[in-house]
Amino acid sequence: MPDTSTTEQQRRGGRAILASGMIGLVAGIDNLGNGLAIAALLFSGPLASGLGMGVGAVLLSAAILALLVGLRSTQPDTVALVQETSVAVLAATIAAMAADMPDAPADVRVATALAILGTSTLVTGALFWLVGRLRLGTLVRFFPYPVVAGFLAGSGWLLVEGALAMLTRVHAPLATPRLLADPTILAKLVPAALLAVLLVAALRRSASPFILPGVLVGAALAFHALTALLGITPDQARAWEWLPAVPDGAVSLPLPTDIVAAADWSRVLSATPAILSVAVLGLVGLLLNSSGIELASGRDIDANAELRVTGGANLIAGLFAGPSGFVGLGMTLLAGRLGAADRWAGVATAAVIGLGLFFAGWLVANTPVFLTAGLILFLGVELLLEWAVAARKRLPRGDWLIVLAVLAAIAGIGFIEGLLLGLAVSLATFVYTYARLPVVRLSTTGRALRSRVDRSPAATHHLAEAGGAVEILQLQGFLFFGTAEQIVHRVRRRLSDTDAPPLRFLIVDFAHIKGMDSAAATGFARIRNLTAGAGVRLVLSGLPPKVAAMLAMAAPDLEGDPALTQAIDIDHALEACENSLLATAPLPAPALPSANGELIHHLEEAIGPHPRLTDAAAALDELRLRPEAVLIRAGETASDVYIVGRGRVKVQTTRPDGQRLRLRTMTGGAVVGEIALLLGQRRTADVVVDEPSVIYRLTAATLARLEREDAELAFVFHRLLATTLAEKLTRANLVIEQAHR
């Protein structure tokens, strides 16, 4: 019995080869038609004598691209094509060159045109390969999309203008519209326009790959049938410019040595801006097509590998003066749908084009001028409809207006000028939009945002009243000249606000800042001048090293400025400001009627007067601890609650890398460890003595005994714990509220 799995594999292989043959036939015929049209666009008017050589260069380039990219691409069904968008740019440049050399021999003009074409492809290939070799393919995708869309729309305009130039034999025919009313021109223009309209309508109604070649072949047959019926000979058709003035067999392949020897290289050098533009925008086009194939096929594509492969193919094609190209989005997706899962799709396409080279002379001589012009006109109209009209539905109004501005500039001024205008407008729009984004992440005062220092109730109450003298600005994003002005405006407005409490401290936190330019750094020197003039201390917290270095470069006198302070983070900045406010606060001094007077004072501040406060103080154990003594260790079972009588402790945790992170600081009157005790949990952080301290301990055993024997005294302690928890919950809610503003 035959192996069914082997039989199925053979069937699949046969279907794949058949699919590759079909896509090769369709893509090959499409390339032949486009190649004739592109050559006719490039070599018309003063360059008409070079049409045969131009056809050879275009078709040879198409075959090289299809073969090499198909064999070496990371995607086996890739079909590479000569791209008409780059040709549109070069056509205008080449036409201008030919118009500026009216007295030069025809072979010099043709060789110069081929040199511009080949040099452009060589530069494009080198750029592709270099970007792929450096693995920078993803960076090019940051090229402003409206500018790319405007470029494509502008390329459509250049193709339309080029098609009209093919029919009128006049460079920039739209500048002299009276030419379009000439009966001899209308005889070619009307059928070309009808063909373009027919192609647009047919391809929008059907996605079949056979539509385009079918319409072109049908139009050519109809032309020859009609002329034969009317008795018009081919020589008469050529005399009326209905057929190209190229005899059969005139197609030839350009030799690099002949081009180098005959070309005017000063003219090639003057075309450098257009050559570079074609290379850069070809890079963008390749990556856009690759992204489209990724999205449509669901396959991941190595953009850098594709750049290297396509770059090598363009370098070889450029040696023969052919135009540049890269993967075709539509043909590659069609190859995938037909099941061409191997590399025969590209090989078959190259074979059909190569076979067409043998008949290219006959095709050129017998292809009506209106057909090649109509195809170019169709390609231009399609680009205009896609990127200038349909783009309105998928782009915001501002981006769409940029597209129209680039299109108008390309049409009215020039291609390079249009691109520069688009880049300038995109940059200005980006700066304007980004400058309007909120660079201030949080704007609040010391009343709402406090340091992680737990203080006595009296100190807490004073800070709640006097905290308005501390203004806090937390910044975010990247600071540049546009966003820095927002901060200067806020500071100036706060300093002039007579309804707010007098400002004593301005904290500017940089913890969420990614970077800063020199203009923004200069803006902070202005802020320092504003605050210093108003007698306000400026505190900069959380400065990243790069931002600090930028500030030091822009305003070296900030270092050591008595009106400016730096803090490692916003918590330390707030703590320093609070300490300054408390240093001049009229806080009541604790009465010390007994040895426990300090503790009783803290208890009374927390829960108010109570006749059992003295008994409560007597129930606690007194601990006198030195700095770095561990009061609570993370992971221990909670069994005690502590009240800081005098001194200071810190709550900290240890990161996996061994670095210690301060969570809170607690001073006289603070209660420590109540949550873990009430919930019966293990300790979650260490509590370490920060300075010589007197601490009072309430053990779990003492609390349990009081609950059994002295309910009133137990109530005093429970009230203390409840009050402490309520205050901490209030502070946590304030922090959450500030974070969501």
PDB file of all heavy atoms in Angstrom, residues 340-375:
ATOM      1  N   ALA A 340       1.490  29.431  -2.335  1.00  0.00           N
ATOM      2  CA  ALA A 340       2.883  29.356  -2.781  1.00  0.00           C
ATOM      3  C   ALA A 340       3.795  29.448  -1.569  1.00  0.00           C
ATOM      4  O   ALA A 340       4.307  30.515  -1.237  1.00  0.00           O
ATOM      5  CB  ALA A 340       3.188  30.483  -3.771  1.00  0.00           C
ATOM      6  N   ALA A 341       3.992  28.312  -0.894  1.00  0.00           N
ATOM      7  CA  ALA A 341       4.714  28.325   0.375  1.00  0.00           C
ATOM      8  C   ALA A 341       6.196  28.047   0.205  1.00  0.00           C
ATOM      9  O   ALA A 341       6.883  27.744   1.173  1.00  0.00           O
ATOM     10  CB  ALA A 341       4.103  27.292   1.320  1.00  0.00           C
ATOM     11  N   ASP A 342       6.702  28.090  -1.007  1.00  0.00           N
ATOM     12  CA  ASP A 342       8.131  27.861  -1.211  1.00  0.00           C
ATOM     13  C   ASP A 342       8.716  29.057  -1.963  1.00  0.00           C
ATOM     14  O   ASP A 342       8.058  30.071  -2.136  1.00  0.00           O
ATOM     15  CB  ASP A 342       8.370  26.555  -1.989  1.00  0.00           C
ATOM     16  CG  ASP A 342       7.544  26.505  -3.272  1.00  0.00           C
ATOM     17  OD1 ASP A 342       7.269  27.587  -3.830  1.00  0.00           O
ATOM     18  OD2 ASP A 342       7.171  25.412  -3.704  1.00  0.00           O
ATOM     19  N   ARG A 343       9.961  28.924  -2.400  1.00  0.00           N
ATOM     20  CA  ARG A 343      10.658  30.047  -3.026  1.00  0.00           C
ATOM     21  C   ARG A 343      10.466  30.090  -4.541  1.00  0.00           C
ATOM     22  O   ARG A 343      11.108  30.899  -5.215  1.00  0.00           O
ATOM     23  CB  ARG A 343      12.146  29.995  -2.672  1.00  0.00           C
ATOM     24  CG  ARG A 343      12.380  30.097  -1.176  1.00  0.00           C
ATOM     25  CD  ARG A 343      13.843  30.282  -0.827  1.00  0.00           C
ATOM     26  NE  ARG A 343      14.006  30.407   0.618  1.00  0.00           N
ATOM     27  CZ  ARG A 343      13.838  31.529   1.298  1.00  0.00           C
ATOM     28  NH1 ARG A 343      13.499  32.631   0.653  1.00  0.00           N
ATOM     29  NH2 ARG A 343      13.990  31.564   2.597  1.00  0.00           N
ATOM     30  N   TRP A 344       9.582  29.255  -5.064  1.00  0.00           N
ATOM     31  CA  TRP A 344       9.397  29.245  -6.509  1.00  0.00           C
ATOM     32  C   TRP A 344       8.608  30.444  -7.001  1.00  0.00           C
ATOM     33  O   TRP A 344       8.600  30.735  -8.201  1.00  0.00           O
ATOM     34  CB  TRP A 344       8.700  27.947  -6.934  1.00  0.00           C
ATOM     35  CG  TRP A 344       9.614  26.765  -6.847  1.00  0.00           C
ATOM     36  CD1 TRP A 344       9.595  25.769  -5.924  1.00  0.00           C
ATOM     37  CD2 TRP A 344      10.702  26.478  -7.722  1.00  0.00           C
ATOM     38  NE1 TRP A 344      10.606  24.871  -6.154  1.00  0.00           N
ATOM     39  CE2 TRP A 344      11.308  25.276  -7.266  1.00  0.00           C
ATOM     40  CE3 TRP A 344      11.237  27.106  -8.854  1.00  0.00           C
ATOM     41  CZ2 TRP A 344      12.393  24.711  -7.896  1.00  0.00           C
ATOM     42  CZ3 TRP A 344      12.325  26.531  -9.482  1.00  0.00           C
ATOM     43  CH2 TRP A 344      12.899  25.351  -9.001  1.00  0.00           C
ATOM     44  N   ALA A 345       7.904  31.139  -6.096  1.00  0.00           N
ATOM     45  CA  ALA A 345       7.118  32.297  -6.532  1.00  0.00           C
ATOM     46  C   ALA A 345       8.034  33.368  -7.120  1.00  0.00           C
ATOM     47  O   ALA A 345       7.791  33.895  -8.217  1.00  0.00           O
ATOM     48  CB  ALA A 345       6.314  32.861  -5.365  1.00  0.00           C
ATOM     49  N   GLY A 346       9.105  33.709  -6.403  1.00  0.00           N
ATOM     50  CA  GLY A 346      10.048  34.703  -6.900  1.00  0.00           C
ATOM     51  C   GLY A 346      10.791  34.220  -8.124  1.00  0.00           C
ATOM     52  O   GLY A 346      11.022  34.986  -9.079  1.00  0.00           O
ATOM     53  N   VAL A 347      11.167  32.930  -8.120  1.00  0.00           N
ATOM     54  CA  VAL A 347      11.892  32.380  -9.268  1.00  0.00           C
ATOM     55  C   VAL A 347      11.010  32.398 -10.512  1.00  0.00           C
ATOM     56  O   VAL A 347      11.457  32.770 -11.613  1.00  0.00           O
ATOM     57  CB  VAL A 347      12.361  30.946  -8.945  1.00  0.00           C
ATOM     58  CG1 VAL A 347      12.995  30.302 -10.176  1.00  0.00           C
ATOM     59  CG2 VAL A 347      13.353  30.966  -7.787  1.00  0.00           C
ATOM     60  N   ALA A 348       9.730  32.010 -10.344  1.00  0.00           N
ATOM     61  CA  ALA A 348       8.819  31.994 -11.488  1.00  0.00           C
ATOM     62  C   ALA A 348       8.585  33.405 -12.013  1.00  0.00           C
ATOM     63  O   ALA A 348       8.509  33.627 -13.235  1.00  0.00           O
ATOM     64  CB  ALA A 348       7.494  31.353 -11.079  1.00  0.00           C
ATOM     65  N   THR A 349       8.461  34.369 -11.111  1.00  0.00           N
ATOM     66  CA  THR A 349       8.283  35.755 -11.541  1.00  0.00           C
ATOM     67  C   THR A 349       9.487  36.221 -12.356  1.00  0.00           C
ATOM     68  O   THR A 349       9.342  36.840 -13.420  1.00  0.00           O
ATOM     69  CB  THR A 349       8.094  36.669 -10.324  1.00  0.00           C
ATOM     70  OG1 THR A 349       6.963  36.241  -9.579  1.00  0.00           O
ATOM     71  CG2 THR A 349       7.900  38.112 -10.737  1.00  0.00           C
ATOM     72  N   ALA A 350      10.695  35.932 -11.870  1.00  0.00           N
ATOM     73  CA  ALA A 350      11.908  36.322 -12.589  1.00  0.00           C
ATOM     74  C   ALA A 350      11.983  35.637 -13.952  1.00  0.00           C
ATOM     75  O   ALA A 350      12.409  36.238 -14.952  1.00  0.00           O
ATOM     76  CB  ALA A 350      13.134  35.993 -11.749  1.00  0.00           C
ATOM     77  N   ALA A 351      11.549  34.359 -14.017  1.00  0.00           N
ATOM     78  CA  ALA A 351      11.599  33.627 -15.290  1.00  0.00           C
ATOM     79  C   ALA A 351      10.666  34.245 -16.326  1.00  0.00           C
ATOM     80  O   ALA A 351      11.035  34.392 -17.500  1.00  0.00           O
ATOM     81  CB  ALA A 351      11.228  32.163 -15.048  1.00  0.00           C
ATOM     82  N   VAL A 352       9.458  34.626 -15.897  1.00  0.00           N
ATOM     83  CA  VAL A 352       8.507  35.239 -16.832  1.00  0.00           C
ATOM     84  C   VAL A 352       9.051  36.578 -17.335  1.00  0.00           C
ATOM     85  O   VAL A 352       8.963  36.895 -18.524  1.00  0.00           O
ATOM     86  CB  VAL A 352       7.132  35.410 -16.160  1.00  0.00           C
ATOM     87  CG1 VAL A 352       6.187  36.213 -17.054  1.00  0.00           C
ATOM     88  CG2 VAL A 352       6.527  34.046 -15.842  1.00  0.00           C
ATOM     89  N   ILE A 353       9.628  37.370 -16.415  1.00  0.00           N
ATOM     90  CA  ILE A 353      10.191  38.663 -16.835  1.00  0.00           C
ATOM     91  C   ILE A 353      11.366  38.451 -17.781  1.00  0.00           C
ATOM     92  O   ILE A 353      11.512  39.148 -18.799  1.00  0.00           O
ATOM     93  CB  ILE A 353      10.629  39.474 -15.606  1.00  0.00           C
ATOM     94  CG1 ILE A 353       9.433  39.782 -14.709  1.00  0.00           C
ATOM     95  CG2 ILE A 353      11.294  40.784 -16.029  1.00  0.00           C
ATOM     96  CD1 ILE A 353       9.816  40.403 -13.377  1.00  0.00           C
ATOM     97  N   GLY A 354      12.236  37.472 -17.432  1.00  0.00           N
ATOM     98  CA  GLY A 354      13.376  37.192 -18.308  1.00  0.00           C
ATOM     99  C   GLY A 354      12.940  36.740 -19.684  1.00  0.00           C
ATOM    100  O   GLY A 354      13.526  37.139 -20.708  1.00  0.00           O
ATOM    101  N   LEU A 355      11.891  35.914 -19.731  1.00  0.00           N
ATOM    102  CA  LEU A 355      11.362  35.490 -21.029  1.00  0.00           C
ATOM    103  C   LEU A 355      10.806  36.686 -21.791  1.00  0.00           C
ATOM    104  O   LEU A 355      10.963  36.791 -23.024  1.00  0.00           O
ATOM    105  CB  LEU A 355      10.273  34.438 -20.814  1.00  0.00           C
ATOM    106  CG  LEU A 355       9.687  33.780 -22.068  1.00  0.00           C
ATOM    107  CD1 LEU A 355      10.765  33.005 -22.823  1.00  0.00           C
ATOM    108  CD2 LEU A 355       8.531  32.858 -21.694  1.00  0.00           C
ATOM    109  N   GLY A 356      10.174  37.602 -21.046  1.00  0.00           N
ATOM    110  CA  GLY A 356       9.610  38.780 -21.687  1.00  0.00           C
ATOM    111  C   GLY A 356      10.669  39.670 -22.304  1.00  0.00           C
ATOM    112  O   GLY A 356      10.375  40.432 -23.248  1.00  0.00           O
ATOM    113  N   LEU A 357      11.912  39.610 -21.781  1.00  0.00           N
ATOM    114  CA  LEU A 357      12.987  40.420 -22.360  1.00  0.00           C
ATOM    115  C   LEU A 357      13.235  40.083 -23.829  1.00  0.00           C
ATOM    116  O   LEU A 357      13.619  40.943 -24.633  1.00  0.00           O
ATOM    117  CB  LEU A 357      14.280  40.226 -21.556  1.00  0.00           C
ATOM    118  CG  LEU A 357      14.479  41.137 -20.347  1.00  0.00           C
ATOM    119  CD1 LEU A 357      15.656  40.671 -19.509  1.00  0.00           C
ATOM    120  CD2 LEU A 357      14.692  42.577 -20.804  1.00  0.00           C
ATOM    121  N   PHE A 358      13.010  38.798 -24.192  1.00  0.00           N
ATOM    122  CA  PHE A 358      13.244  38.394 -25.582  1.00  0.00           C
ATOM    123  C   PHE A 358      12.195  38.985 -26.521  1.00  0.00           C
ATOM    124  O   PHE A 358      12.434  39.131 -27.717  1.00  0.00           O
ATOM    125  CB  PHE A 358      13.234  36.863 -25.684  1.00  0.00           C
ATOM    126  CG  PHE A 358      14.419  36.214 -25.025  1.00  0.00           C
ATOM    127  CD1 PHE A 358      14.317  35.674 -23.753  1.00  0.00           C
ATOM    128  CD2 PHE A 358      15.650  36.164 -25.670  1.00  0.00           C
ATOM    129  CE1 PHE A 358      15.405  35.078 -23.142  1.00  0.00           C
ATOM    130  CE2 PHE A 358      16.747  35.561 -25.072  1.00  0.00           C
ATOM    131  CZ  PHE A 358      16.619  35.025 -23.794  1.00  0.00           C
ATOM    132  N   PHE A 359      11.023  39.292 -25.954  1.00  0.00           N
ATOM    133  CA  PHE A 359       9.949  39.845 -26.782  1.00  0.00           C
ATOM    134  C   PHE A 359       9.706  41.318 -26.467  1.00  0.00           C
ATOM    135  O   PHE A 359       8.735  41.905 -26.955  1.00  0.00           O
ATOM    136  CB  PHE A 359       8.648  39.062 -26.542  1.00  0.00           C
ATOM    137  CG  PHE A 359       8.785  37.588 -26.755  1.00  0.00           C
ATOM    138  CD1 PHE A 359       8.984  36.732 -25.680  1.00  0.00           C
ATOM    139  CD2 PHE A 359       8.736  37.049 -28.037  1.00  0.00           C
ATOM    140  CE1 PHE A 359       9.105  35.367 -25.875  1.00  0.00           C
ATOM    141  CE2 PHE A 359       8.857  35.688 -28.240  1.00  0.00           C
ATOM    142  CZ  PHE A 359       9.049  34.837 -27.162  1.00  0.00           C
ATOM    143  N   ALA A 360      10.579  41.907 -25.643  1.00  0.00           N
ATOM    144  CA  ALA A 360      10.346  43.280 -25.201  1.00  0.00           C
ATOM    145  C   ALA A 360      10.380  44.261 -26.357  1.00  0.00           C
ATOM    146  O   ALA A 360       9.608  45.231 -26.389  1.00  0.00           O
ATOM    147  CB  ALA A 360      11.385  43.674 -24.147  1.00  0.00           C
ATOM    148  N   GLY A 361      11.264  44.025 -27.329  1.00  0.00           N
ATOM    149  CA  GLY A 361      11.323  44.935 -28.474  1.00  0.00           C
ATOM    150  C   GLY A 361      10.006  44.976 -29.215  1.00  0.00           C
ATOM    151  O   GLY A 361       9.502  46.051 -29.577  1.00  0.00           O
ATOM    152  N   TRP A 362       9.454  43.784 -29.457  1.00  0.00           N
ATOM    153  CA  TRP A 362       8.154  43.728 -30.147  1.00  0.00           C
ATOM    154  C   TRP A 362       7.056  44.371 -29.302  1.00  0.00           C
ATOM    155  O   TRP A 362       6.200  45.094 -29.824  1.00  0.00           O
ATOM    156  CB  TRP A 362       7.828  42.267 -30.428  1.00  0.00           C
ATOM    157  CG  TRP A 362       6.492  42.093 -31.109  1.00  0.00           C
ATOM    158  CD1 TRP A 362       6.233  42.175 -32.447  1.00  0.00           C
ATOM    159  CD2 TRP A 362       5.255  41.817 -30.460  1.00  0.00           C
ATOM    160  NE1 TRP A 362       4.897  41.969 -32.701  1.00  0.00           N
ATOM    161  CE2 TRP A 362       4.264  41.739 -31.492  1.00  0.00           C
ATOM    162  CE3 TRP A 362       4.875  41.617 -29.140  1.00  0.00           C
ATOM    163  CZ2 TRP A 362       2.927  41.473 -31.205  1.00  0.00           C
ATOM    164  CZ3 TRP A 362       3.548  41.354 -28.868  1.00  0.00           C
ATOM    165  CH2 TRP A 362       2.588  41.294 -29.887  1.00  0.00           C
ATOM    166  N   LEU A 363       7.110  44.117 -27.954  1.00  0.00           N
ATOM    167  CA  LEU A 363       6.105  44.692 -27.060  1.00  0.00           C
ATOM    168  C   LEU A 363       6.186  46.212 -27.051  1.00  0.00           C
ATOM    169  O   LEU A 363       5.165  46.910 -27.100  1.00  0.00           O
ATOM    170  CB  LEU A 363       6.300  44.157 -25.636  1.00  0.00           C
ATOM    171  CG  LEU A 363       5.904  42.704 -25.388  1.00  0.00           C
ATOM    172  CD1 LEU A 363       6.318  42.271 -23.975  1.00  0.00           C
ATOM    173  CD2 LEU A 363       4.403  42.521 -25.564  1.00  0.00           C
ATOM    174  N   VAL A 364       7.400  46.740 -26.996  1.00  0.00           N
ATOM    175  CA  VAL A 364       7.566  48.193 -26.972  1.00  0.00           C
ATOM    176  C   VAL A 364       7.040  48.811 -28.259  1.00  0.00           C
ATOM    177  O   VAL A 364       6.323  49.824 -28.251  1.00  0.00           O
ATOM    178  CB  VAL A 364       9.049  48.568 -26.759  1.00  0.00           C
ATOM    179  CG1 VAL A 364       9.258  50.058 -26.976  1.00  0.00           C
ATOM    180  CG2 VAL A 364       9.489  48.162 -25.367  1.00  0.00           C
ATOM    181  N   ALA A 365       7.381  48.206 -29.381  1.00  0.00           N
ATOM    182  CA  ALA A 365       7.004  48.783 -30.670  1.00  0.00           C
ATOM    183  C   ALA A 365       5.506  48.730 -30.913  1.00  0.00           C
ATOM    184  O   ALA A 365       4.964  49.559 -31.669  1.00  0.00           O
ATOM    185  CB  ALA A 365       7.740  48.063 -31.797  1.00  0.00           C
ATOM    186  N   ASN A 366       4.809  47.789 -30.276  1.00  0.00           N
ATOM    187  CA  ASN A 366       3.393  47.593 -30.568  1.00  0.00           C
ATOM    188  C   ASN A 366       2.478  47.924 -29.391  1.00  0.00           C
ATOM    189  O   ASN A 366       1.276  47.661 -29.474  1.00  0.00           O
ATOM    190  CB  ASN A 366       3.148  46.149 -31.009  1.00  0.00           C
ATOM    191  CG  ASN A 366       3.780  45.838 -32.358  1.00  0.00           C
ATOM    192  OD1 ASN A 366       3.246  46.171 -33.416  1.00  0.00           O
ATOM    193  ND2 ASN A 366       4.955  45.210 -32.308  1.00  0.00           N
ATOM    194  N   THR A 367       3.033  48.482 -28.340  1.00  0.00           N
ATOM    195  CA  THR A 367       2.201  48.900 -27.206  1.00  0.00           C
ATOM    196  C   THR A 367       1.773  50.341 -27.425  1.00  0.00           C
ATOM    197  O   THR A 367       2.621  51.238 -27.533  1.00  0.00           O
ATOM    198  CB  THR A 367       2.974  48.787 -25.881  1.00  0.00           C
ATOM    199  OG1 THR A 367       3.346  47.418 -25.679  1.00  0.00           O
ATOM    200  CG2 THR A 367       2.099  49.237 -24.712  1.00  0.00           C
ATOM    201  N   PRO A 368       0.468  50.622 -27.505  1.00  0.00           N
ATOM    202  CA  PRO A 368       0.009  51.997 -27.757  1.00  0.00           C
ATOM    203  C   PRO A 368       0.483  52.953 -26.677  1.00  0.00           C
ATOM    204  O   PRO A 368       0.598  52.597 -25.499  1.00  0.00           O
ATOM    205  CB  PRO A 368      -1.517  51.866 -27.748  1.00  0.00           C
ATOM    206  CG  PRO A 368      -1.794  50.414 -27.981  1.00  0.00           C
ATOM    207  CD  PRO A 368      -0.638  49.662 -27.392  1.00  0.00           C
ATOM    208  N   VAL A 369       0.755  54.177 -27.083  1.00  0.00           N
ATOM    209  CA  VAL A 369       1.209  55.197 -26.139  1.00  0.00           C
ATOM    210  C   VAL A 369       0.142  55.462 -25.083  1.00  0.00           C
ATOM    211  O   VAL A 369       0.444  55.639 -23.900  1.00  0.00           O
ATOM    212  CB  VAL A 369       1.573  56.492 -26.887  1.00  0.00           C
ATOM    213  CG1 VAL A 369       1.832  57.633 -25.906  1.00  0.00           C
ATOM    214  CG2 VAL A 369       2.787  56.266 -27.776  1.00  0.00           C
ATOM    215  N   PHE A 370      -1.142  55.455 -25.508  1.00  0.00           N
ATOM    216  CA  PHE A 370      -2.190  55.730 -24.533  1.00  0.00           C
ATOM    217  C   PHE A 370      -2.234  54.656 -23.446  1.00  0.00           C
ATOM    218  O   PHE A 370      -2.642  54.921 -22.314  1.00  0.00           O
ATOM    219  CB  PHE A 370      -3.554  55.841 -25.233  1.00  0.00           C
ATOM    220  CG  PHE A 370      -4.254  54.523 -25.455  1.00  0.00           C
ATOM    221  CD1 PHE A 370      -5.083  53.971 -24.477  1.00  0.00           C
ATOM    222  CD2 PHE A 370      -4.089  53.824 -26.641  1.00  0.00           C
ATOM    223  CE1 PHE A 370      -5.719  52.759 -24.682  1.00  0.00           C
ATOM    224  CE2 PHE A 370      -4.718  52.608 -26.851  1.00  0.00           C
ATOM    225  CZ  PHE A 370      -5.543  52.068 -25.868  1.00  0.00           C
ATOM    226  N   LEU A 371      -1.819  53.410 -23.808  1.00  0.00           N
ATOM    227  CA  LEU A 371      -1.878  52.325 -22.827  1.00  0.00           C
ATOM    228  C   LEU A 371      -0.823  52.520 -21.740  1.00  0.00           C
ATOM    229  O   LEU A 371      -1.129  52.408 -20.543  1.00  0.00           O
ATOM    230  CB  LEU A 371      -1.689  50.974 -23.538  1.00  0.00           C
ATOM    231  CG  LEU A 371      -1.992  49.727 -22.688  1.00  0.00           C
ATOM    232  CD1 LEU A 371      -2.596  48.633 -23.563  1.00  0.00           C
ATOM    233  CD2 LEU A 371      -0.736  49.204 -22.008  1.00  0.00           C
ATOM    234  N   THR A 372       0.425  52.798 -22.147  1.00  0.00           N
ATOM    235  CA  THR A 372       1.467  53.021 -21.132  1.00  0.00           C
ATOM    236  C   THR A 372       1.183  54.287 -20.331  1.00  0.00           C
ATOM    237  O   THR A 372       1.331  54.315 -19.109  1.00  0.00           O
ATOM    238  CB  THR A 372       2.846  53.120 -21.802  1.00  0.00           C
ATOM    239  OG1 THR A 372       2.799  54.091 -22.844  1.00  0.00           O
ATOM    240  CG2 THR A 372       3.266  51.783 -22.374  1.00  0.00           C
ATOM    241  N   ALA A 373       0.726  55.346 -21.010  1.00  0.00           N
ATOM    242  CA  ALA A 373       0.401  56.570 -20.289  1.00  0.00           C
ATOM    243  C   ALA A 373      -0.806  56.360 -19.382  1.00  0.00           C
ATOM    244  O   ALA A 373      -0.857  56.865 -18.254  1.00  0.00           O
ATOM    245  CB  ALA A 373       0.127  57.699 -21.281  1.00  0.00           C
ATOM    246  N   GLY A 374      -1.793  55.605 -19.871  1.00  0.00           N
ATOM    247  CA  GLY A 374      -2.974  55.332 -19.048  1.00  0.00           C
ATOM    248  C   GLY A 374      -2.634  54.519 -17.824  1.00  0.00           C
ATOM    249  O   GLY A 374      -3.203  54.726 -16.741  1.00  0.00           O
ATOM    250  N   LEU A 375      -1.696  53.561 -17.954  1.00  0.00           N
ATOM    251  CA  LEU A 375      -1.288  52.768 -16.794  1.00  0.00           C
ATOM    252  C   LEU A 375      -0.574  53.646 -15.766  1.00  0.00           C
ATOM    253  O   LEU A 375      -0.836  53.546 -14.566  1.00  0.00           O
ATOM    254  CB  LEU A 375      -0.379  51.622 -17.247  1.00  0.00           C
ATOM    255  CG  LEU A 375       0.135  50.697 -16.140  1.00  0.00           C
ATOM    256  CD1 LEU A 375      -1.013  50.089 -15.354  1.00  0.00           C
ATOM    257  CD2 LEU A 375       1.023  49.604 -16.721  1.00  0.00           C
TER     258      LEU A 375
END
